[in-house]
Every structure is written in C-alpha cells, then in structure tokens.
Amino acid sequence: MSMERFREFVDASFFDLERRLNGAGSGPWHQLRRAGHQAFLTQGVPTTRHEEWKYTNVLPLLGLTYQTASAGSSGVAPLNLAAIHSLDTYRSAMGSDEVFLCLIDGQYLPSLSTEHHQIQGLSVEPLTDQLVANDNDVRTALASAAASEGHPFVALNTALASHGVVIRIARGATIERPIHVAMITDARSSDRLQTPRVLVLAEESAAATIVESYHTVGSNGSLIIPVTEIVAHRQANVRRVTIHDDVDHARLIGYTGARVHGDAQVSSHVFCLGGGFVRNDLAIALLEPNAQGFLDGVSVLAGEEYADNHTVVDHTVPHCHSEELYKGVYDGRSVGVFNGKIYVRPQAQKTTAYQSNHSLLISERAQVNAKPQLEIWADDVKCSHGATTGQLDEEAVFYLQARGIGKAEARALMTYAFAAEVVERLPHEGLRTAIEHRIARKLHAEPFTV
Amino acid sequence: MSLLKINGLKAGVEGKEILKGIDLTVNPGEVHAIMGPNGSGKSTLASVLAGREDFEVSGGSVEFLGQDLLEMSPEDRSRAGLFLAFQYPIEIPGVSTANFLKTAVNEHRKARGEEPLEPAAFLALMRERMKLVEMDPSFLQRSLNEGFSGGEKKRNEIFQMAMLEPKLAVLDETDSGLDIDALRIVANGVNAQRSADNGIVVITHYQRLLNYIVPDHVHVLWNGRIVRSGGKDLALELEAKGYDWIKAEAQVEA
Ligand SMILES: Nc1ncnc2c1ncn2[C@@H]1O[C@H](COP(=O)(O)OP(=O)(O)O)[C@@H](O)[C@H]1O
Ligand SMILES: [Mg+2]
C-alpha cells in the first residue's frame, strides 16, 4: 500500500515539476527527466525479491508523507549551518582549505558557499535546464555515468531532480583545496525527500578532490537520493570522498557513477560512520587503456544502523587497473552489506583487478552480508578477491592483555586498527584525523596513527 | 618474600588434565630453568601463570608477591610485574609496535599512580632498550610482529620485557628458531635485565640457551609434573643423556 502511495507521490511530484518548468519542458534536461520517470514506473520500487536489493528493504522508507524540495519551505527560519554538528566537524577538519559548496534540499546556494571565482581552473555552476540546453559538455555528461534504466533510484533522481551543481576542473588544472559538497536536508517542517544531482567534469590532466557529506536538520523523516556523476578525461585524477555521518533518522539511497578515460584515475573513499540507513552504489567504468579505479570503504556501525555498499568496476578495455578494499565493523544490532562486482569484458586483456572485503562483528546481534562477484570473460588477466567475516582474534586480545592492556581497551585498539587501515589511505590530513577521531570515539578507543 | 610460590598446581583444558601438581618457588635474584620434552606442559604452565582463559585450574595455588595470582586478570598480572615472553608471539595488524608499547607502558604507569611518559622521553626509552637486543628502530613503526621473522619476534619479546621491567619474567622457548648469533643477542638482552630484585623462569627444550643465561636451578617437567630439580649441572646431564632416563625413573617412582 505504501508502495502505491509512494509511486503516486513520485508521479505527482514529477508532473508538478513539469508544470513549473515554463518553456524548459522541451529542453534536453527535461527529456532526461521524462525518460527517468518512465524508467522509474517501469522498474518500480525494488523489493527484497530483487537480487540487487535482497538485503535492502526500502519499503519502510517509503511510507512517510514526503514533500519534495521543490515544494519549498517558506515561512521557516533560515538554517544555522554552524549548529549542524557533523557538518561543523568535517568543515573544521578541512579548515581554510575547504571550498564549501552548500546544497540545501538539492539547491546549490552560492551565498552560503565559498567564493570560488578566483580559484584558477575551478568552475562551479548551478545545474539548470538552461545550462544543460546551452553547454555541450554538460549535456553530453549528464546521465552518461548514471543510467535510469539500470537502477530505480537513479531513475527517481533523474525524474525529480531540478537542481544541483556542476563542478568543472579545467584542462591541466590541479585544485589542491578539497571541494566540499554538503547536502543538507531541511526536515524541520515535514518529512522531506530530496534528489540532488552533482556533475564533476575533470578535463584532460585536471586533478581535484571532491568531498560529499549529508546532513539532516529537524526531527521529521528524511530520504536523500543523490546522484553524482564523475567524468575523468584523459590523465585526469579525481578523488572522491563520501562521508555518511548523519543523524539516526536520516536515510540515504545514493548512486555515484564514474567514467574514466585513458591514463586517468578515480579514487573513491566511502566512510559510513552514522545515519540510520545508507545504501550506496558506486559504479566505475574504465573506458580506455591505463584507466585506474581505486575503491576504499569503511563502515563503522552501531545501534540499529544499516549500511549497504554496492560497487561495480567495469573493465571494458585492455590494460586497466582496479583495486578495492572495503571493511566493516559492526556493533549492536547493526547490519552491513557489501556487494562488489568486477566485470572484465572479453577484450579487456591485461586487466589487473583486486578486491578485498573484511568484516568484523563485535556484537553477536550484528549482521553482515558480503558478496564478491567477479565476472571475467578475458583470459590474460590478474584478478583476485578475498573476503573474511569474523570476530576479533582472541589470541591477540590475550597477547595485549598479557602486556597490561585491559581487555576492553585491547579489543578497542584492535578494532580501531582494523578500521584505520582504510582511513590511512586518505591523503588530506585534517580530514583523515577527523575521521580517525570519529571512529575512535565510536569504538571507545584511543585514536592513533600507525 | 618469594616472588612466585606455586603449590600443587593442577590445570587442564576441556576436562583433560595437563598440569598434575606443580610446586615451584622463585625468589628474588634467581634464574630457574624449566626443561622437558615436547608436550610435557611447559607452555601450559606459562599460560596459566599469565592468565590465559582456555585453561581451567582445578587445584593448587599460586602466589605472586604475596597476592593470589589466579584471582587476577591477565592485565593486572602484567601490571603487577609478571611478564610472559610467548613461545609464538602473535601478529597484530595495524597496531604499530611503538603505539602498542606506549599503551602498555602507560597502563603500567597508571597502575602505579604515575603520569604517562612524554612522547619524547618515551621514544628515547624505546631507542635505548631496543639496543639491548640490537633491534632496528624501523621496527617501531611496523605493525606488531607482522611479517617479522621468527628471530625478530623473539627479540621483540625481550625488547618488550625491557620496556616493562617485570619483577618476574617467564620466557617460553625464547631460544627456539634462533641461530647462534641471534641466540647470543637475545641472551645478552635477558642477562642485562638480571638483578638481585627480579626473577626469571627460562623454559627451554635445549641446554644451549643455558650456556648464556646460566640458571641457579634447573627443573625437569614431564607429563605435568616436575620430576627432577637440581643445579645447572642437571641441564648438562640432560644434554648428554637425553630425557629418556628421566622418564624411566619417573615411571618407576610413580
Ligand atoms: N589449548 C589446548 N587444547 C588441548 N590440548 C592442549 C592445549 N594446549 C596444550 N595442550 C596439550 O597439553 C599438553 C602440553 O602442551 P604444552 O604445554 O604446549 O607442552 P610443552 O610446552 O611442554 O611442549 C600437550 O599434550 C598438548 O597437546
Ligand atoms: Mg611449549
């Protein structure tokens, strides 16, 4: 029943948006929205009978009475960004380095963002129907790395997104400062659903780090369905950091698609450290020789938290490389899911693709479902995967105890070390330290670096 | 007061009795060697002293500095001054030797009511004590025992001993797997820590180590019992004759 109502809500929101478009209805972005709407109706809301959504029961998320962002939040006091604890934490961690891009309910708000115009090689624009109509690069890139046909929530985002941001790094430019896209959901006056859209275009030999974080304000329900597309042209280097550290009642179903051209690389770091429900899809397509994908992720969950990471690395041509490490620490009644697909197409000889996934269950009631899925059609390749799920090594705990370290502390120390292996790979020191401290606090451990 | 006083200690695992009544007293300044064939219960004795939970104590008592050792948690035993050098040191990925030792040393200090050491003082102390076993400072940043060779692990145990300055150290086959040079280095590291106040129990299979760490008392453990005790000459006798005569004698006596 709630599924039916949700579909009606999507329909109503879509047609409402279409009515308000005033002439842009025939433009290229809206053509994509129409296709997204159709694709959503065709696919429907996935149930746990659907292989890709086996452990991810989204139905409880859909039962609320959502309003879309476009309905506006008139009459509500402006948001006080400094009062959003997790936002403030990670912003402080980046300090004066940060190029802050504030998206509230999907809308990029330059007035609340860093003045970036003097930063050489960086361009940030609101994603609008007009921009999509007039800018060839944007039009070509939009929906190129996230297809509505393959994913019901990409379809939903595509159908309903009317705002977003385009981040462009000019040819040859290296942006040293992390570009922080903060997606804020204003759920103070009603249950809120938002569908932000981010496009990252790294031109030839461009380099940048994009940090995305999600924050819910207010005690009503929130469901954020963000889609980020990254296009890394030849020799570009894009690092993407995703921080999930939202409030307990926040829910997110996100999709990131990356297209990686020759000699370019995309590195992703996904941190699931808080929030009620997180489903993350990350798809990296290696399109030309010597393209590289690096996928790191760590989930540290407690209480009733849920985090589901689905990744796809698609080796479509010879001589590409991918490396993936996902780890999870699960306490309380938390649930983790990892599904890692690697496709090596028949022509993709000389592929090297490595995946590992390790989970630590620190409570008997926590659960993890992990599934590596390697589909290899080429023969001259080096591919491997390793997956483990287990408890702490009690021999090691005893060893630490025998040196005077208390049992609880010994366990926390080892658990922290387990998770820290992934965090260490994050180059930005301030951010890395903040995440290490966050994890340590969650595990009641002392943070330290190896 | 004696450091360690073991009386009629019986212990086993899953209903199987491994230690069948051990008596042993170690006084300050003494070095005791416990020898015996494989499987006789030497490591079990060391584990029970350190507080490993896998073993159930079914009889007897152990006093350590006048306290009931068996009532104490493994970490409290360590903080009270008991040290076990493991026969098989554990690899702990992600925890660097330096951070591990900092945590351990500061726990010991806290138990004595002392402030944590300043990082610089701590680093200086580590560098000094590593020299005792000729360990390279680069080991400090490596994950504890991970990828260390057998000999490096054993040296690391003695380095840890030097950092924690125990009152009683039990060294479980610290000589096994060492070549002659490494053996000498480890033995020198141990000897440097001998004093009139502390005691050392050296568990070994071979007499070789005892050429370097010369014991005051030698005990032969067989089948869960100390079947013979003597001076350092007993070790030489064992070396010459093997363990069979002891076994035969013990069987006759039993
Ligand atoms: N955890 C255990 N579970 C079952 N049997 C054990 C365990 N530990 C030791 N034993 C048994 O107890 C006996 C003594 O072992 P151990 O103390 O390791 O001897 P040693 O160190 O003298 O070689 C052996 O027969 C061994 O198999
Ligand atoms: Mg042994």
Short mmCIF file of all heavy atoms in Angstrom, two decimals, chain B residues 169-188:
data_model
loop_
_atom_site.label_atom_id
_atom_site.label_comp_id
_atom_site.label_asym_id
_atom_site.label_seq_id
_atom_site.Cartn_x
_atom_site.Cartn_y
_atom_site.Cartn_z
N ALA B 169 59.95 -12.67 34.98
CA ALA B 169 59.73 -12.92 33.56
C ALA B 169 59.75 -14.42 33.31
O ALA B 169 60.62 -15.13 33.82
CB ALA B 169 60.82 -12.23 32.74
N VAL B 170 58.76 -14.89 32.55
CA VAL B 170 58.73 -16.29 32.14
C VAL B 170 58.99 -16.30 30.65
O VAL B 170 58.22 -15.71 29.88
CB VAL B 170 57.35 -16.91 32.45
CG1 VAL B 170 57.31 -18.37 32.00
CG2 VAL B 170 57.02 -16.79 33.94
N LEU B 171 60.10 -16.91 30.25
CA LEU B 171 60.47 -16.90 28.83
C LEU B 171 60.21 -18.29 28.25
O LEU B 171 60.91 -19.24 28.58
CB LEU B 171 61.96 -16.54 28.68
CG LEU B 171 62.46 -15.33 29.49
CD1 LEU B 171 63.94 -15.09 29.20
CD2 LEU B 171 61.63 -14.08 29.18
N ASP B 172 59.19 -18.36 27.41
CA ASP B 172 58.78 -19.66 26.89
C ASP B 172 59.49 -19.95 25.56
O ASP B 172 59.11 -19.41 24.53
CB ASP B 172 57.26 -19.70 26.72
CG ASP B 172 56.77 -21.12 26.41
OD1 ASP B 172 57.60 -22.05 26.34
OD2 ASP B 172 55.54 -21.28 26.24
N GLU B 173 60.48 -20.80 25.61
CA GLU B 173 61.26 -21.20 24.42
C GLU B 173 61.66 -19.99 23.58
O GLU B 173 61.50 -19.99 22.36
CB GLU B 173 60.47 -22.21 23.58
CG GLU B 173 60.24 -23.49 24.39
CD GLU B 173 60.15 -24.74 23.52
OE1 GLU B 173 60.65 -24.71 22.39
OE2 GLU B 173 59.59 -25.73 24.01
N THR B 174 62.18 -19.01 24.26
CA THR B 174 62.64 -17.81 23.55
C THR B 174 63.80 -18.15 22.64
O THR B 174 64.11 -17.42 21.71
CB THR B 174 63.00 -16.73 24.59
OG1 THR B 174 61.80 -16.44 25.33
CG2 THR B 174 63.48 -15.45 23.95
N ASP B 175 64.43 -19.30 22.87
CA ASP B 175 65.57 -19.70 22.04
C ASP B 175 65.18 -20.46 20.78
O ASP B 175 65.99 -20.58 19.87
CB ASP B 175 66.55 -20.55 22.86
CG ASP B 175 65.85 -21.73 23.53
OD1 ASP B 175 64.61 -21.65 23.72
OD2 ASP B 175 66.53 -22.72 23.85
N SER B 176 63.93 -20.93 20.72
CA SER B 176 63.61 -21.79 19.58
C SER B 176 63.59 -20.97 18.30
O SER B 176 63.12 -19.84 18.25
CB SER B 176 62.27 -22.50 19.79
OG SER B 176 61.22 -21.58 19.78
N GLY B 177 64.15 -21.55 17.27
CA GLY B 177 64.18 -20.88 15.97
C GLY B 177 65.26 -19.83 15.84
O GLY B 177 65.28 -19.10 14.85
N LEU B 178 66.14 -19.71 16.82
CA LEU B 178 67.20 -18.70 16.72
C LEU B 178 68.50 -19.33 16.25
O LEU B 178 68.87 -20.42 16.71
CB LEU B 178 67.44 -18.04 18.08
CG LEU B 178 66.28 -17.25 18.69
CD1 LEU B 178 66.74 -16.57 19.98
CD2 LEU B 178 65.75 -16.22 17.71
N ASP B 179 69.21 -18.64 15.38
CA ASP B 179 70.55 -19.12 15.05
C ASP B 179 71.50 -18.66 16.17
O ASP B 179 71.10 -17.94 17.09
CB ASP B 179 71.01 -18.62 13.67
CG ASP B 179 71.06 -17.11 13.59
OD1 ASP B 179 71.34 -16.45 14.63
OD2 ASP B 179 70.81 -16.58 12.50
N ILE B 180 72.75 -19.06 16.08
CA ILE B 180 73.65 -18.87 17.22
C ILE B 180 73.89 -17.40 17.54
O ILE B 180 73.93 -16.99 18.70
CB ILE B 180 74.97 -19.66 17.01
CG1 ILE B 180 75.76 -19.73 18.32
CG2 ILE B 180 75.79 -19.09 15.88
CD1 ILE B 180 75.13 -20.63 19.35
N ASP B 181 73.93 -16.56 16.49
CA ASP B 181 74.14 -15.12 16.73
C ASP B 181 72.93 -14.51 17.41
O ASP B 181 73.06 -13.75 18.38
CB ASP B 181 74.41 -14.39 15.41
CG ASP B 181 75.75 -14.81 14.83
OD1 ASP B 181 76.65 -15.14 15.63
OD2 ASP B 181 75.88 -14.81 13.58
N ALA B 182 71.77 -14.85 16.88
CA ALA B 182 70.54 -14.30 17.46
C ALA B 182 70.36 -14.79 18.89
O ALA B 182 69.93 -14.04 19.77
CB ALA B 182 69.33 -14.71 16.61
N LEU B 183 70.75 -16.03 19.11
CA LEU B 183 70.65 -16.60 20.45
C LEU B 183 71.49 -15.79 21.45
O LEU B 183 71.04 -15.47 22.55
CB LEU B 183 71.12 -18.05 20.43
CG LEU B 183 70.99 -18.81 21.74
CD1 LEU B 183 69.54 -19.22 21.97
CD2 LEU B 183 71.88 -20.05 21.76
N ARG B 184 72.69 -15.45 21.01
CA ARG B 184 73.57 -14.69 21.89
C ARG B 184 73.01 -13.29 22.16
O ARG B 184 73.04 -12.80 23.28
CB ARG B 184 74.96 -14.58 21.24
CG ARG B 184 76.06 -14.32 22.25
CD ARG B 184 77.45 -14.58 21.69
NE ARG B 184 77.55 -14.20 20.29
CZ ARG B 184 78.12 -14.95 19.34
NH1 ARG B 184 78.63 -16.12 19.65
NH2 ARG B 184 78.19 -14.51 18.09
N ILE B 185 72.44 -12.70 21.11
CA ILE B 185 71.87 -11.36 21.27
C ILE B 185 70.71 -11.39 22.26
O ILE B 185 70.63 -10.56 23.19
CB ILE B 185 71.38 -10.83 19.90
CG1 ILE B 185 72.58 -10.51 19.01
CG2 ILE B 185 70.51 -9.60 20.07
CD1 ILE B 185 72.23 -10.27 17.55
N VAL B 186 69.84 -12.38 22.08
CA VAL B 186 68.67 -12.47 22.97
C VAL B 186 69.13 -12.74 24.41
O VAL B 186 68.64 -12.13 25.36
CB VAL B 186 67.72 -13.58 22.45
CG1 VAL B 186 66.75 -14.03 23.53
CG2 VAL B 186 66.95 -13.08 21.23
N ALA B 187 70.09 -13.66 24.53
CA ALA B 187 70.58 -13.99 25.88
C ALA B 187 71.23 -12.79 26.55
O ALA B 187 70.99 -12.53 27.74
CB ALA B 187 71.57 -15.15 25.78
N ASN B 188 71.99 -12.03 25.77
CA ASN B 188 72.60 -10.83 26.34
C ASN B 188 71.53 -9.85 26.81
O ASN B 188 71.67 -9.21 27.85
CB ASN B 188 73.50 -10.14 25.31
CG ASN B 188 74.80 -10.90 25.10
OD1 ASN B 188 75.18 -11.73 25.95
ND2 ASN B 188 75.45 -10.66 23.97
#
